[in-house]
Amino acid sequence: MNSKLYLDEEEIAEARTLAAAIADGVAAFIVDKTTVAVERTVLRLLSLDGVDADGVPLPNVVVDHIHERGQLQRGIARWVINAMLQTGLGIQAIGEAVAAGELDLLALPPRPDAEIFARGREEAQIALERIKRRQEERDHALSRLGEGPQPYIYVIVATGNIYEDVVQARAAARQGADIIAVIRSTGQSLIDYVPYGATTEGFGGTYATQENFRIMRAALDEAGEEIGRYIRLCNYCSGLCMPEIAAMGALERLDVMLNDALYGILFRDINMQRTLIDQNFSRMINSYAGVIINTGEDNYLTTADAVEAAHTVLASQFVNEQLALRSGLPPAQMGLGHAFEMDPMLEDGFLLEWAQALMAREIFPDAPLKYMPPTKHMTGNIFRGHVQDALFNLVGMATGQGIQLLGMMTEAIHTPLIHDRQLAIESARYIFNNARHLRDELEFRRDGKMVERAREVVHEARGLLREIAAKGLFSALEEGRFADVKRSLTGGKGLKGVLVRADDYYNPIESALRSALGLPSANVGSRESGSRESEGREVGGHA
Amino acid sequence: MRDLRRVRPYGDTFDDGMVQFSFSLPVPYGEEAREAARQFVAKMGVLEPQVTYAADLGEGMTFFVVYGKTNHDIDFTAIKTPKVESPVMDFYEINQFIRERIGRKIVVLGACTGTDAHTVGIDAIMNMKGYAGEYGLERYPEIEAHNLGSQVSNEELVKKALELKADAILVSQVVTQKDVHIPNLAELVELLEAQDVRNKIVLVCGGPRLGHELALELGYDAGFGPGTLAPEVASFIVHEMAKPAARSDRGGKRQ
């Protein structure tokens, strides 16, 4: 690596090794567990959709139907596929019959495992084919229409009404946006089901539903055809329904997903076991679907001090990278997040900012890093805010970021108005174009402030990773090592939905994904795959 | 001599009435759009509106920057706005005030309530490190501060307040789209009243679109807007608690 910041390669290599050990600890802890959300995701990928008479999604109805009677730890697929074999019905008809109280999946006589596994393999193959087709569509559209240069311009829409979002998103695409992120309604991350259908009411954002995904996808495809550029769609694969949203995104060809368990743990108080298990499965789906994930480190420093705690962002990126690799996610899909929310009034803050952004770029050379300007220091003074955002745009270009989340001058006032986005995009395009090759022209003083800053952050990150590796990620979270927020292993929302897999746990979707992604097999049909992972029962000191 | 009874915007000459606008109209970009913007601003009572910039936003929308002059005026001498009146003390003075005038540590709860997940504001007031060079309440030796974080239901907040015997509750509301914060803030007052503890607790709200006047209307003791720092809030709380007989059982040493 030819480092402009003279980064210490040995220290970085050690940090990666430590992060790998931390991720192994997490992987060992989650490998023998599942969650209600993972099981609902299996149903969704097996093509169960819709809601019952009370508006409850059928995946919830069917999972609860089994879970209430203590049989979910064997895997939902076993029961549903058995029912398909016994009744000759498709999964949708089975779900509807269960919802109507006409069918009890546990009352059906069991077919031999071999038959269930054979049918499960077929059904999983169909599911993966559906996802594959969407990925091929994307590849085809990208090669035909092309895309904007990096950094991709990423803007949000957040009207609460999917049809209004469409107007804003199409306008943004015409204005030059490459990625449209539909912000979710505040609070969606904490509801344990995915709302159904097109929605027109939300607060601070719009509900993530499969129909809303479909509506926005179609609108952006149409706009992209007209403009002659592929427009990527982003949503939030986080919260209690993380893997379900990954599945919906894979089926509706979303391109980018926020997907970070640590974010949910720290900022939404979601139970860490629940969300790390959910994350693992959701990242497999995202990986297979060719979705770029974004991680949430860009939020840590809204609560912790940006100068003192910068190394926690880097440490978390190292961990997130290793966790992602364990879900089969290649670096080209790892949109590791970062933002250093330093007080804009800090002397030489811009130098620190630049140094850290370049540091992240050099340490994760193949990742489409997602860079974000500060929201914490937006004051309602839209004019100053616009200048702050402009400086971040310059850093983004000058350090080769992959995705630039554009700040809006009206942040801290309201969700973006249609012209707020126009002004933000205009600023970004001006700066990106005007300083396109700045990075190539610059070298930094070996004894200067920027080199010193990057060295210091790497060094401290390595130190923090040593501490975390010694005690495990779960303990580190309990001690508040990230974002100054403390969370307990058994606290937070969603723990009730975590189950230890039975010895005959069966999940054909996971088997198929693991096989397609080249991941080692877990306990997803032990008699089928022959042997369990040897580390399957380790729980990292947190039994 | 400025005539404060007839005040107009100032650009570079007294009474020039200069104002600037920026907005979008759902009309396609073009000369007609510029004229529409000009007429729109003229209808607002602005003289000589000049459309200095128009941009095509796509989707049949156009953005404008418009300058003009207004001949409306305001009687500044007649303006009264409700304000938080208590004098603002610093960190040391507040702690000393608590020791001398209240005689025990005070308990302050902070939360983002309802579905609101935006803790930037409450964190700035509560967190040890504070914001803009001012320590947050957690740092005050005489304050027992509990930051309950985001998405706290009003029921949960009231339960915690009873359990911890809170002297003050700070509610932060950042998401105000479609006025979702109004019923949420009002509900907390109702719940506290139902528990018969509203009078025993100093109730404060804050957020980018909250002010003192709205807070009073909603039944709060004070409201703080954006840019508020911890000492302003703490000063208000301790003065309120020390008000003689304002509320029956405040201020005394707790058994």
Side-chain angles (χ1 to χ4, degrees), chain B residues 68-225:
Chain B
K69 297 174 176 183
T70 173
N71 62 354
H72 294 301
D73 56 56
I74 291 296
D75 181 358
F76 188 70
T77 62
I79 286 177
K80 301 225 171 356
T81 58
K83 270 195 209 83
V84 175
E85 298 289 356
S86 61
V88 177
M89 301 182 287
D90 69 18
F91 177 81
Y92 302 98
E93 290 166 341
I94 292 165
N95 284 306
Q96 194 183 353
F97 185 100
I98 297 172
R99 279 191 295 271
E100 288 172 2
R101 303 278 299 275
I102 301 176
R104 61 170 174 82
K105 279 181 117 177
I106 66 167
V107 179
V108 180
L109 259 57
C112 279
T113 62
T115 58
D116 203 336
H118 299 74
T119 61
V120 174
I122 196 71
D123 289 341
I125 303 296
M126 302 291 285
N127 278 7
M128 191 71 80
K129 281 182 186 131
Y131 182 71
E134 285 290 351
Y135 296 139
L137 302 187
E138 288 173 358
R139 187 76 161 247
Y140 286 61
E142 300 302 331
I143 297 180
E144 187 186 320
H146 301 267
N147 187 352
L148 305 183
S150 68
Q151 301 183 327
V152 179
S153 70
N154 285 319
E155 288 81 3
E156 202 179 322
L157 179 56
V158 171
K159 201 172 128 223
K160 272 279 180 202
L162 294 174
E163 185 186 314
L164 297 166
K165 298 197 169 65
D167 295 299
I169 298 177
L170 312 181
V171 180
S172 172
Q173 295 278 268
V174 174
V175 174
T176 53
Q177 204 171 29
K178 302 187 178 91
D179 283 335
V180 65
H181 59 304
I182 304 282
N184 187 42
L185 285 168
E187 186 192 63
L188 177 61
V189 175
E190 284 164 21
L191 289 175
L192 289 169
E193 280 169 354
Q195 293 287 337
D196 213 18
V197 291
R198 172 65 192 91
N199 289 336
K200 298 174 185 162
I201 290 172
V202 182
L203 189 57
V204 172
C205 58
R209 280 183 56 212
L210 283 169
H212 192 52
E213 192 170 4
L214 176 61
L216 295 180
E217 268 175 43
L218 290 168
Y220 284 65
D221 295 313
F224 292 93

Side-chain angles (χ1 to χ4, degrees), chain A residues 182-203:
Chain A
V182 183
I183 297 276
R184 292 194 301 180
S185 180
T186 180
Q188 184 172 0
S189 59
L190 300 183
I191 51 178
D192 214 340
Y193 64 89
V194 181
Y196 182 77
T199 68
T200 55
E201 284 248 324
F203 300 105

Side-chain angles (χ1 to χ4, degrees), chain A residues 158-161 166-168 170-172 174-175 186-190 200-205 223 226 267-268 302-305 308 343 375-379 383 412-413 415 418-419 422-423 426 484 493, chain B residues 20 22-25 53 55-65 114-120 123-124 127 129-133 148-152 156 174-180 208-209 226-227:
Chain A
T159 69
N161 177 337
V166 160
V167 175
Q168 302 257 331
R170 289 169 53 101
R174 284 179 209 287
Q175 291 156 13
T186 180
Q188 184 172 0
S189 59
L190 300 183
T200 55
E201 284 248 324
F203 300 105
E226 287 163 26
F267 299 104
R268 295 292 179 268
T302 53
T303 48
D305 182 87
E308 286 169 33
D343 182 346
T375 53
K376 180 175 169 180
H377 299 288
M378 297 302 274
T379 57
F383 303 103
I413 305 174
T415 47
I418 195 162
H419 44 262
Q422 154 80 11
L423 292 165
E426 199 178 347
D484 283 351
K493 294 146 185 131
Chain B
Q20 61 196 38
S22 61
F23 59 92
S24 300
L25 289 177
Y53 180 69
D56 186 354
L57 297 176
E59 300 299 300
M61 305 260 185
T62 309
F63 171 62
F64 306 95
V65 177
T115 58
D116 203 336
H118 299 74
T119 61
V120 174
D123 289 341
N127 278 7
K129 281 182 186 131
Y131 182 71
L148 305 183
S150 68
Q151 301 183 327
V152 179
E156 202 179 322
V174 174
V175 174
T176 53
Q177 204 171 29
K178 302 187 178 91
D179 283 335
V180 65
R209 280 183 56 212

Side-chain angles (χ1 to χ4, degrees), chain A residues 331-398:
Chain A
Q333 286 169 239
M334 284 181 205
L336 299 171
H338 63 140
F340 300 91
E341 303 229 1
M342 282 178 276
D343 182 346
M345 297 303 114
L346 182 73
E347 186 176 70
D348 287 334
F350 188 62
L351 276 62
L352 305 187
E353 190 64 59
W354 193 319
Q356 291 170 186
L358 186 57
M359 171 198 78
R361 176 72 290 165
E362 290 190 354
I363 294 174
F364 305 101
D366 301 318
L369 296 178
K370 179 193 170 207
Y371 190 53
M372 173 171 151
T375 53
K376 180 175 169 180
H377 299 288
M378 297 302 274
T379 57
N381 178 350
I382 57 172
F383 303 103
R384 191 182 101 177
H386 200 46
V387 176
Q388 285 171 209
D389 290 338
L391 289 181
F392 269 78
N393 289 338
L394 182 61
V395 171
M397 187 70 238

